Amino acid sequence: MQLSIGEWLPAFFNPQKRIFWGYMLSSIFIAFLWLRLVKKTNLISCVKQIFDPQVWISRSAMADYKVMMINTVLMVILSPRLLAKATVAYLVFDSMHLLFDGRPFLSTILPQWMIALSFTMFLFLLDDFARYWLHRWLHKVPILWSFHKVHHSATVLNPFTVFRTHPIEGVLFSIRSALVQGFTTAVFFFFFGDKVTLLMVLGASVFTFTFNFLGSNLRHSPVSIQYWRNLERIVMSPAQHQIHHSNAKEHIDKNFGVALSVWDWMFGTLSLSKADEKLRFGLSEEQSYKLHTLEGLYITPLKQATEIFLRFVSRIPHFQFFKNT
Amino acid sequence: MKILLTRPGLSFSFIIAISLIFGCVFAKPKMYSSFPVTEKSYNGSKKDSTSYTGQMARHVLHNSLKKLAGKGNGKPNSALKAKMLSYYSGKDAGREIIDPTSKGDFKIKQTMVDQISKGKNLKGKTYKGIINGFPGQMTGPEVFEFMIDKASSSNKGFDPLTGYNYPQLISKFMMGAVFYSQAVDNYLDEKMGADNKPNNKPYKKGAHYTGKEHSWDEAFGYFGAPAHAMALSAKQAYGIAKKKDMKVADANGDGMIDLYTEMTYAHAYYAADSDKAGTKYMHTIVGAFIKGRQLITEANGAALTDQQRAQLMGYVKTIKSNWAQVIAEAAFKYAGSCYKDLEKLRTIVESNGDASKAFAAYGKHWGELKGFLMALETSGRDLGEAGVRMNRLVGFGPVLLGGGQVTGIDSNGNLQTGGNRSMGEYQVHMIKLQKLLGDTFSLKARKNDVTSNMAGLLETLGSSLAAEND
Ligand SMILES: [Zn+2]
């Protein structure tokens, strides 16, 4: 257990991570402002809502913490075997030379700040776009849903629910990151060489920083901050992500986006928030599931995925043989 | 009880710390010189057993041969060829030192090779195995004779039809096939065996040094460092080879540079070049040579015990691994140069400019790259799959503007070109070669690293290790 604490604790101090203490503080501050100024809540009930023991020490929350610690160890073990962004970057960088037969130098065309801005923005957009699609598939493809279910089995949302993730899903996320970061870095480096830099605040991309500083932690929280209707078509509000976690029929498979909701708008999965809508989080009734137990969080998804896989395989005529023996 | 135990420990480490501090301030850096005579059978008057004149004569032969290789006028020139061969395979007296020679106040003591050591040549010490990296499946000496022939009839050493730069190819391959190979595959290898050149016998009858003393000296000589290398910074040692910094070069202060002990040659020069980027190859290697020589000297003419030999082999290991790194770092650097040259050539060709100068620079860098890679083949240690891959990536010649490359040697001994490889593809080969060299030899200086900034950029993006949902 010592190893895991040592490994995840730095996330509190790492501005590239959502649970960085600075973002936690800014989120609390934003939640407070929202409750006081918009919802006109009195001071005491503000504090009660933000520090609600139901949010922080419920069975669901305890399961979040457990998963976070176990996964940290698992990811440390898995990471050397995962696709590295450097591998992707080298492959793309090499291929670019063949595609363009050499390396055309464009670094003099744009001023450095514009190269840096384009790189940072492109990375942010492609990353957010890739997150939208992977998330969508996690819901729509049955075998993937059996893993993503773990995240949706949270019945109470708190910022640590972000870690409530099946390790197989963690592997998929890391492949996604490697592809996006490796590709973007290689393409920009190919054309602009040493002039490519990431625009950073506190060592994190300026967009990541902004997204997190403006209360990304509230996505997984009971504080349902809404944006103006038109803004909610572009940027995902915390309330919109809470809709994604709602088990109401009309909310199923809505709002897959992360920082931007524009992808949902473009691909027809957008749902705007409604004021004071009561939401119930978690899986719908028909999803049989052992809530908040390690078995439910780790083993059940594997079993269900295997069943789906075997059912799929048995439908291929060639494999009928196995079924009959 | 605990306090009683720790107190003496504390004061002991205190004394050590103090003596280390004083040691660093007052101890002069050791030189590779003035090791006393320990050979019991010797009763002459010599007091210093250090001797590696033959090696330094060969360095001078190598430097001179490289100069000669760039003297052709584009037509067959039998006189030049004969002269080159006299530096390569001849032993004749009267050979002038063509390089290094005096320049301004950088005055050099010797002008003739024989003033350093008589009757030496390079061919006799050339690696005899087949060189896979060069067309024609020739042995080391055959490759040199082939290159000398071609160089003598080339225009200033460069052949634009193949992209071969003979002074560079000859020089860098010779650093491997003679100096490196002799040192790591002979003197630091079989001659360090218990029964080979033992320390309780003279190296040869009547010699004033023992078998082990002289074997060790010869290996040191081939590295090419000045005897006072430990007192020199990387920049200074490098500058000496460029005939700069007379004051630091002239260790004995006689106003002249002694080519035997005060010059930087070959591998030491490239080690210093790397070290300017932060590595410590030169001091690590020369330091290990000095410690090893002290160990042998301290045996005082007796055969080395197993324990002494084991310790000595520790120094050998350090020398060998660092030396291989020095060569690989140089190859790495020139792979990066070739990559950049290809980029430049592309720009020039696209704007219909005159590419001849840039092409010659590319050929020069390629010659250095190829020569160093061939050098790595001569250590007596098979590089295995990595070696095969390196040769495939580089091929037998630089990819030419029309896409051709040297493919082999025909029955008349002419280099043939053919194939159609794009320059972009060859750039990819240079990137892969850098990666392969970097991984195989754990390189640190990594000059002209094509993708270093990409790696740095990837690092700024942070790790995506944690399993975090959206
Ligand atoms: Zn989801």
Side-chain angles (χ1 to χ4, degrees), chain B residues 84 95 108 136 139 167-168 195 197 209 246 249 285 300 320 335 340 352 354 390 395 408 414 422 438 464:
Chain B
M84 286 177 77
R95 286 173 296 180
I108 286 173
T139 64
Q168 293 302 342
D195 305 322
K197 298 287 177 193
Y209 34 67
M246 176 72 186
I285 293 171
N300 201 19
K320 281 186 179 179
K340 279 191 212 158
N352 290 314
D354 176 14
M390 282 172 203
N414 295 314
S422 80
S464 41

Side-chain angles (χ1 to χ4, degrees), chain A residues 141-206:
Chain A
V141 180
I143 197 164
L144 297 180
W145 170 243
S146 49
F147 298 111
H148 188 52
K149 239 183 199 177
V150 171
H151 181 62
H152 282 270
S153 71
T155 47
V156 178
L157 299 183
N158 89 29
F160 292 88
T161 308
V162 80
F163 295 106
R164 188 186 183 115
T165 299
H166 195 275
I168 296 289
E169 221 187 334
V171 169
L172 294 175
F173 292 155
S174 104
I175 294 171
R176 178 202 63 208
S177 282
L179 289 173
V180 167
Q181 297 187 351
F183 173 81
T184 310
T185 306
V187 169
F188 273 79
F189 184 73
F190 178 77
F191 288 118
F192 303 109
D194 301 352
K195 292 208 173 160
V196 188
T197 48
L198 186 70
L199 291 180
M200 292 189 288
V201 179
L202 291 181
S205 150
V206 65

Side-chain angles (χ1 to χ4, degrees), chain A residues 85 97 101 105 162 194 219, chain B residues 339 343 346 453 462 469-470:
Chain A
K85 55 188 172 181
H97 287 82
D101 189 16
F105 242 134
V162 80
D194 301 352
R219 294 158 60 82
Chain B
Y339 178 91
E343 218 163 74
R346 180 198 157 98
N453 286 307
N469 229 294
D470 297 320

Side-chain angles (χ1 to χ4, degrees), chain B residues 405-459:
Chain B
Q405 203 175 9
V406 170
T407 52
I409 297 173
D410 68 15
S411 52
N412 298 321
N414 295 314
L415 287 161
Q416 294 170 301
T417 56
N420 191 9
R421 183 162 268 162
S422 80
M423 294 176 98
E425 191 187 346
Y426 203 49
Q427 278 188 304
V428 175
H429 286 204
M430 294 300 120
I431 300 168
K432 288 188 171 156
L433 181 63
Q434 282 198 327
K435 187 157 176 13
L436 184 61
L437 284 165
D439 292 347
T440 310
F441 295 95
S442 326
L443 300 185
K444 290 172 211 90
R446 306 176 70 98
K447 290 191 163 188
N448 295 340
D449 190 346
V450 176
T451 55
S452 72
N453 286 307
M454 185 169 82
L457 195 57
L458 280 171
E459 218 136 274

Side-chain angles (χ1 to χ4, degrees), chain B residues 94-111:
Chain B
R95 286 173 296 180
E96 261 182 285
I97 297 173
I98 299 165
D99 183 75
T101 52
S102 299
K103 183 180 142 197
D105 73 333
F106 201 90
K107 293 223 161 33
I108 286 173
K109 192 172 161 189
Q110 296 92 340
T111 54

